[in-house]
Amino acid sequence: MSFDPKPLRWIELDLPHPDGGGRLVTLRTDGPFALRSWYFAPESDVKMELHLDRRTPEGGLTGCLHCGHAELYTRKKFNKTLGFAIVGVAALLVLVFENYWSLVAAAVIDLVLFSIARDEVVCYSCSAVHRGFGVSPRHPSFDRTIEERLKFGERAVMGEPMREGGTANAPDPEH
Ligand SMILES: [Zn+2]
């Protein structure tokens, strides 16, 4: 008898709540294929439809599952508050020990935390956050020219037209 269970691979979505006000709805399922096409928003009877056509057969993303927009960026899920807190404690220890080794240690700890932080993929249009999806196609890091175009449209100073297919497998921004 062979036993080959696929390991649990949690995916997580942080979606803007339809009520607005910066509230988020978090959905968590066992892998990208366990998602249903719609959910009720918590504490309301508003249906939140997911754009599951933006999910590739491999579990990657060609666009935002919340609004369907084709431009996404990848960033590290780094806890900035913790990062600053470590530096803050180190600064106090400088006063206690009268040397700077604690600051060096804090920098190293922050660097390690940053390098092991998981990636998350964010929508330029609605800011929905996607975690745990397939790594292909890859969406590059944040590009200010895309944000400008979506915010200001024609009036954008640095705006460039959207690339065909959005940000899927696009090169990293040069700026
Ligand atoms: Zn979106």
Side-chain angles (χ1 to χ4, degrees):
M1 199 178 82
S2 72
F3 182 61
D4 181 24
K6 284 254 186 312
L8 285 179
R9 181 192 166 87
W10 291 101
I11 61 100
E12 198 173 68
L13 289 172
D14 283 342
L15 310 176
H17 194 287
D19 286 356
R23 236 178 112 191
L24 292 175
V25 178
T26 300
L27 298 176
R28 199 174 288 127
T29 65
D30 179 12
F33 300 104
L35 280 168
R36 298 203 319 264
S37 59
W38 62 270
Y39 291 85
F40 278 122
E43 298 137 46
S44 82
D45 49 10
V46 180
K47 251 186 175 182
M48 302 175 70
E49 310 249 1
L50 292 184
H51 289 252
L52 293 185
D53 54 320
R54 287 306 194 180
R55 181 188 58 192
T56 68
E58 292 77 37
L61 296 165
T62 59
C64 174
L65 292 186
H66 179 64
C67 71
H69 189 75
E71 290 171 310
L72 310 170
Y73 63 91
T74 303
R75 71 178 178 201
K76 290 271 191 195
K77 186 178 182 264
F78 179 63
N79 188 334
K80 286 199 185 110
T81 314
L82 178 65
F84 283 127
I86 290 170
V87 174
V89 170
L92 289 176
L93 292 179
V94 168
L95 300 177
V96 176
F97 294 113
E98 294 178 345
N99 66 49
Y100 291 99
W101 287 111
S102 57
L103 276 180
V104 174
V108 171
I109 292 170
D110 273 2
L111 203 68
V112 169
L113 285 178
F114 188 75
S115 63
I116 60 171
R118 287 178 68 192
D119 282 342
E120 55 187 16
V121 175
V122 190
C123 174
Y124 279 100
S125 182
C126 72
S127 302
V129 181
H130 312 67
R131 300 186 192 99
F133 287 85
V135 291
S136 174
R138 186 179 169 271
H139 297 273
S141 55
F142 183 76
D143 182 346
R144 206 143 48 91
T145 63
I146 295 178
E147 189 193 41
E148 280 247 323
R149 165 164 46 76
L150 290 172
K151 228 191 221 166
F152 303 111
E154 297 282 291
R155 291 180 294 118
V157 184
M158 305 187 298
E160 281 171 43
M162 176 154 64
R163 192 177 167 273
E164 202 182 325
T167 50
N169 289 326
D172 271 306
E174 284 155 23
H175 21 257

